[in-house]
């Protein structure tokens, strides 16, 4: 790997010659700007706004623009004359627990490589000291014309350095958090915990950029003159959902993705649905029945049979059995249908 900076790590009176190597690289696919009409490249030319002439890189200098628009030229000699102790040195100023470094400060990452045979011993000493102390080193260094803050830590057998933003470069999160009071129920927290446990750990090496893969396939297809079928549109967001149902559904989906049996996690249905008021009372009414209602339902069938029996016997002209049947029915079931049975007997005798 190509070194982007040569210098030394300094802590106390110990100096370790090192080379700085980029630890990361961008895999993003970049595009060129073209003229849509004919496909010609769009290029930028550096032109002086005073004489409207294009200038080369060698003719371009630096200047600071003042508030009133005045340009204050700054030369390379001016910058070189500035007191910058860290111009060629990564100066360690403290050793602190890693928990004291706010992840918001993390910037670019680099590997520090021992530069030359004499650097191997002090390099290894610093690496092992960091391992044993379980601390990280906070350092100041200069790169690309400005002083920066860094954090040194051990990665395998290598010392890595993370560039850090200065504390005053971190913005305050004012107005970012929800401004309304929200109550979270224990059941919701339990489901969130269950989802976290189900998702579990992940092999970081298995993660990849799906969008970049799709973009590469698109470019390959275009170069071969093949038209790809448009993919399905992602589900629209912004719907108000039942949070409990969404959590339950998420737990089931995560278990199924991991090949586990999806068990019930607290509700009868796990589908995501729009948030609506639940009618618990309406759901319970058909379940509960009183003894009186049960008795009334049972008496309905015999009453119908008695009426049909009386009707058939009246047609034959024999009314005595109908009377006894009605009497038996009345004696056995003193229900609300008793008056109806008494009124029915005289009507049928009249008709006979």
């Amino acid at each position: 790997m190509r070194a982007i900076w040569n210098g030394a790590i300094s802590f106390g009176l110990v100096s370790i010659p090192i080379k700085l190597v980029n630890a990361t690289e961008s895999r993003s696919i970049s595009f060129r700007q073209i003229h849509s009409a004919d496909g010609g490249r769009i290029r930028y030319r550096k032109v002086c706004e005073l004489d409207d002439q294009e200038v080369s890189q060698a003719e371009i200098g630096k200047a600071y623009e003042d508030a009133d628009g005045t340009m204050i030229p700054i030369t390379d000699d001016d910058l070189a004359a500035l007191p910058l102790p860290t111009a060629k040195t990564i100066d360690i100023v403290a050793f602190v627990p890693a928990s004291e470094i706010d992840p918001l400060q993390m910037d670019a990452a680099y590997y520090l490589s021992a530069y030359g045979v004499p650097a191997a011993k002090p390099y290894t000493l610093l690496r092992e000291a960091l391992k044993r102390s379980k601390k990280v080193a906070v350092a100041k260094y200069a790169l690309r014309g400005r002083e920066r803050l860094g954090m040194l830590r051990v990665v395998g057998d290598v010392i890595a350095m993370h560039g850090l933003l200065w504390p005053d470069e971190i913005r305050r999160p004012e107005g970012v958090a929800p401004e309304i009071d929200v109550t979270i129920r224990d059941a919701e927290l339990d489901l969130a915990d269950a989802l976290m446990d189900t998702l579990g750990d992940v092999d970081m090496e298995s993660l990849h950029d799906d969008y970049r893969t799709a973009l590469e396939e698109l470019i390959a297809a275009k170069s071969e003159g093949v038209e790809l079928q448009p993919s399905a549109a992602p589900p629209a967001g912004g719907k108000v959902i039942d949070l409990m149902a969404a959590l339950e559904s998420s737990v089931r989906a995560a278990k199924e993705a991991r090949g586990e049996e999806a068990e019930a996690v607290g509700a009868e249905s796990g589908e995501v649905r729009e948030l609506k008021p639940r009618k618990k009372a309406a759901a319970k009414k058909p379940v509960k029945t009183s003894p009186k209602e049960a008795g009334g339902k049972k008496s309905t069938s015999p009453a119908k049979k008695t009426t049909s029996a009386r009707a058939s016997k009246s047609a034959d002209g024999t009314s005595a059995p109908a009377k006894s049947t009605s009497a038996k029915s009345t004696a056995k079931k003193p229900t609300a249908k008793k008056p109806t049975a008494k009124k029915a007997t005289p009507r049928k005798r009249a008709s006979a």
Side-chain angles (χ1 to χ4, degrees):
M1 291 185 285
R2 186 174 65 87
I4 61 172
W5 184 87
N6 294 335
I9 301 174
S10 173
F11 65 106
L13 298 177
V14 179
S15 181
I16 311 170
I18 56 99
K19 294 186 294 184
L20 194 68
V21 178
N22 276 322
T24 62
E25 60 181 341
S26 174
R27 293 294 183 90
S28 298
I29 296 175
S30 58
F31 297 100
R32 301 292 188 186
Q33 290 185 328
I34 62 170
H35 186 196
S36 299
D38 54 21
R41 281 279 305 276
I42 302 297
R43 297 182 181 274
Y44 292 96
R45 292 183 171 88
K46 298 179 179 180
V47 177
C48 175
E49 65 178 15
L50 296 180
D51 55 20
D52 201 28
Q53 296 295 316
E54 185 176 353
V55 296
S56 64
Q57 185 62 39
E59 299 175 280
I60 298 174
K62 299 182 183 70
Y64 174 80
E65 185 175 4
D66 208 352
D68 61 358
T70 303
M71 294 295 178
I72 304 173
I74 304 293
T75 66
D76 291 338
D77 292 338
D78 293 332
L79 296 175
L82 290 175
L84 189 59
T86 55
K88 279 293 182 180
T89 304
I90 298 174
D91 187 16
I92 295 177
V93 297
F95 292 90
V96 301
S99 59
E100 291 190 13
I101 305 298
D102 189 341
L104 284 174
Q105 290 183 255
M106 296 288 188
D107 201 1
Y110 307 95
Y111 291 133
L112 304 182
S113 172
Y115 193 9
V117 175
K121 180 69 180 268
Y123 183 95
T124 305
L125 172 65
L126 176 59
R127 184 190 68 197
E128 296 304 313
L130 287 171
K131 279 185 180 179
R132 191 166 73 171
S133 68
K134 298 181 180 179
K135 293 183 177 181
V136 298
V138 177
K140 296 170 83 174
Y141 67 102
L143 184 64
R144 299 187 181 97
R146 58 179 288 238
E147 189 170 60
R148 302 166 189 262
L149 193 62
M151 179 191 76
L152 278 63
R153 69 184 183 97
V154 178
V155 178
D157 292 331
V158 176
I159 299 174
M161 181 173 72
H162 295 270
L164 299 178
L165 299 174
W166 296 99
D168 61 358
E169 292 179 313
I170 305 297
R171 300 174 64 184
R172 300 290 181 186
E174 296 174 356
V176 178
E179 296 181 356
I180 59 173
D181 293 333
V182 178
T183 301
I184 301 297
R185 294 179 293 164
D186 289 340
E188 293 168 335
L189 280 175
D190 291 342
L191 277 173
D193 290 341
L195 178 58
M196 293 167 65
D197 292 339
T198 304
L199 291 175
D201 299 328
V202 66
D203 179 9
M204 298 298 291
E205 296 293 331
S206 67
L207 301 179
H208 61 279
D209 187 345
D210 293 324
Y211 177 78
R212 190 185 74 203
T213 301
L215 191 55
E216 289 171 348
E217 292 174 357
L218 173 64
I219 293 171
K222 286 276 189 180
S223 65
E224 297 173 3
V226 178
E227 288 293 331
L228 291 179
Q229 294 296 327
S231 59
K239 290 183 67 177
V240 178
I241 59 173
D242 185 331
L243 182 58
M244 289 291 288
L247 287 168
E248 292 158 8
S249 182
S250 299
V251 171
R252 289 190 180 91
K255 285 188 175 183
E256 291 171 0
R258 294 170 67 90
E260 299 177 10
E261 185 177 349
E263 301 174 353
V265 287
E268 297 178 0
S269 174
E271 65 176 303
V272 179
R273 57 187 181 276
E274 291 190 12
L275 187 60
K276 294 180 180 179
R278 298 180 181 178
K279 299 180 180 179
K280 293 183 179 179
K284 291 181 179 179
K285 280 182 180 179
V287 180
K288 294 184 178 180
T289 55
S290 65
K292 291 183 179 180
E293 290 174 343
K297 289 181 179 178
K298 288 181 180 179
S299 63
T300 303
S301 179
K304 288 183 178 178
K305 289 181 180 179
T306 305
T307 305
S308 61
R310 284 198 303 268
S312 61
K313 290 177 181 179
S314 298
D316 296 335
T318 56
S319 58
K323 193 172 186 179
S324 62
T325 304
S326 176
K328 287 180 183 179
S329 176
T330 306
K332 286 182 180 179
K333 302 290 180 180
T335 62
K337 295 195 174 187
K338 182 178 177 183
T340 305
K342 284 184 176 182
K343 289 178 182 179
T345 304
R347 283 202 302 270
K348 289 185 179 181
R349 285 178 179 174
S351 63

